[in-house]
Amino acid sequence: MKREPAWVAAIRLALLRGRVDVESVIEEANLIPGRERTVRDVLSTMAERDLLVERDGADHVYVPGPTLLESDRFDLDFSRASDGGAHRWETSAHGRAGAE
């Protein structure tokens, strides 16, 4: 089974669904059971960096943060987000970004 980094899944969920939690990241990234603590750590680190913001009154539920919202990268093709890293994502305006 193909797995991807938790942060990639979290960004995808934040931008496409507007909400991120531990369970949704585990499912989206196809992680094995028992990774809840790791995902919580990833999400809290992303919140510290303003990529995500924890929703008021909801423990470990996040929405897109200012850094993510202001990144101006909403035209990314997330179908290959974990294939070699973010530098290989496609954008509609520029074609393939980064080197193969």
Side-chain angles (χ1 to χ4, degrees):
M1 297 184 82
K2 191 169 183 179
R3 292 179 178 83
E4 67 183 11
W7 65 270
V8 172
I11 290 173
R12 181 185 303 119
L13 289 167
L15 292 177
L16 298 179
R17 294 188 186 164
R19 181 183 185 279
V20 181
D21 61 27
V22 173
E23 293 79 22
S24 65
V25 171
I26 289 173
E27 181 180 340
E28 183 73 19
N30 196 26
L31 299 176
I32 59 174
R35 298 292 186 205
E36 292 82 6
R37 190 177 84 188
T38 300
V39 172
R40 273 193 297 276
D41 290 345
V42 167
L43 295 178
S44 67
T45 299
M46 292 176 75
E48 289 171 7
R49 297 177 182 174
D50 291 331
L51 291 164
L52 299 173
V53 174
E54 193 164 15
R55 283 183 45 188
D56 291 333
D59 196 29
H60 304 296
V61 176
Y62 299 86
V63 295
T67 300
L68 192 58
L69 292 173
E70 295 168 9
S71 69
D72 196 30
R73 305 282 285 173
F74 289 102
D75 58 346
L76 295 174
D77 175 8
F78 285 96
S79 66
R80 299 190 57 175
S82 65
D83 186 23
H87 64 283
R88 294 190 184 201
W89 291 351
E90 294 181 10
T91 64
S92 59
H94 304 290
R96 282 205 78 138
E100 290 295 324

